[in-house]
Amino acid sequence: MHPARKVTGEIVQIVGGQIQGPIADQVKRRIAAWSDPRAKLDRQYRRSGRALTFWLIVLALLAVVGVLTLVNALPVAAGVGAALGFAGTSVLAVRTNMRMRDIDRRRRQLSAAPVRVPLPSRASAARLPMERLEDAEDTLRELLRQLDSAALTSVPTESVEQARATGAEAGAAIRAVSHQLQAVERARDTAPPLDRGPLVEGVRRLRAQLDEGVEGYCGLVAAAGRVLAESTATNPRQVLGDATDHLAGLASALRELSR
């Protein structure tokens, strides 16, 4: 392992072991954001962009020297050196440009992939529901991919797209409740003991809403699974549509409660 990475890992372990509560969550989120593959590619792209700008500036200066040599304003030796430097710098500029294109291609591939939101801490009441939601999202994504194949099922494309959009909307609403629950937990942990009663009740209520939202999401997953298992069913549109409508109503209710 590279010495710098080893030292960084040791620092992270020390910080994680000594810092608890809201500060630990903030540190973990910042570390996760820094280590995110998209963030790494963004940093590489910016560094390559700065390098390409430098090479282009050098090429422009060498071109000026070449022009001055042609008009006999500079000696021939300077022109020869400029020509050699221009050739070498051009190679570096081309390589840097190719590297930027490769990084940009990998960024687009990552953008097309689903974004993984960091799970709540293990001490949070939101941890288990959000783990269930993450598993359900993966399952629904695969089920809808297969349902969208005309070679496998006769489910209308608009029904699949509606289920996919509703699933994404419901996932966002459920995560909003999860963020609320974690914020109330932090307030509960820092509040004086006599003031914690309402906050404890708030955590319990938000956990109940979170469980209800995840159950509704899993209901859509189950409906999609039934449609795929019985692809010759008389009315697959109705089975998937009913579950989609139910989840859409549940997501709307969660958004209203979160406000």
Side-chain angles (χ1 to χ4, degrees):
M1 180 181 293
H2 193 277
R5 293 183 179 178
K6 182 178 180 180
V7 172
T8 303
E10 292 176 351
I11 292 174
V12 170
Q13 290 179 357
I14 293 172
V15 170
Q18 294 183 353
I19 300 178
Q20 302 294 331
I23 297 179
D25 292 338
Q26 293 178 11
V27 170
K28 290 176 182 178
R29 283 195 294 269
R30 289 181 179 275
I31 293 174
W34 177 263
S35 304
D36 183 74
R38 293 174 178 82
K40 290 182 179 179
L41 289 176
D42 287 340
R43 292 194 296 271
Q44 293 175 9
Y45 190 86
R46 288 194 295 269
R47 286 195 296 267
S48 297
R50 290 193 292 267
L52 181 59
T53 301
F54 174 77
W55 297 131
L56 292 177
I57 292 173
V58 173
L59 285 174
L61 294 175
L62 293 174
V64 171
V65 172
V67 171
L68 293 176
T69 303
L70 291 176
V71 299
N72 297 323
L74 291 175
V76 176
V80 173
L84 294 175
F86 192 92
T89 305
S90 297
V91 172
L92 293 174
V94 170
R95 287 182 178 178
T96 303
N97 186 46
M98 291 176 62
R99 175 176 170 78
M100 289 183 66
R101 291 185 178 182
D102 179 64
I103 294 173
D104 190 50
R105 177 184 58 79
R106 287 187 287 163
R107 287 199 308 179
R108 289 196 300 270
Q109 289 176 349
L110 282 177
S111 297
V115 178
R116 289 290 184 183
V117 179
L119 289 171
S121 66
R122 295 189 179 278
S124 173
R127 175 75 181 213
L128 289 178
M130 298 312 294
E131 285 181 340
R132 288 187 62 201
L133 176 64
E134 195 170 87
D135 292 339
E137 286 176 327
D138 290 341
T139 304
L140 181 63
R141 191 177 299 111
E142 175 60 21
L143 288 171
L144 294 181
R145 185 189 66 79
Q146 295 192 38
L147 286 173
D148 205 18
S149 172
L152 294 177
T153 68
S154 59
V155 179
T157 301
E158 59 270 19
S159 297
V160 175
E161 288 301 325
Q162 184 181 4
R164 184 177 287 117
T166 301
E169 182 182 2
I174 293 170
R175 284 190 170 85
V177 176
S178 171
H179 293 325
Q180 280 187 302
L181 191 156
Q182 294 174 69
V184 175
E185 285 179 328
R186 290 194 292 270
R188 176 201 62 194
D189 294 341
T190 57
L194 295 179
D195 295 335
R196 291 180 183 175
L199 297 173
V200 171
E201 175 60 23
V203 169
R204 187 201 62 76
R205 178 176 52 82
L206 289 169
R207 172 60 190 266
Q209 293 177 14
L210 201 56
D211 287 335
E212 183 181 2
V214 175
E215 285 296 326
Y217 196 102
C218 291
L220 178 59
V221 175
R226 289 197 303 272
V227 171
L228 184 61
E230 304 172 5
S231 56
T232 57
T234 56
N235 197 354
R237 180 200 294 264
Q238 181 177 356
V239 176
L240 190 59
D242 289 345
T244 301
D245 292 341
H246 174 72
L247 183 58
L250 183 58
S252 177
L254 286 175
R255 284 197 303 273
E256 290 299 324
L257 288 172
S258 66
R259 294 193 186 107

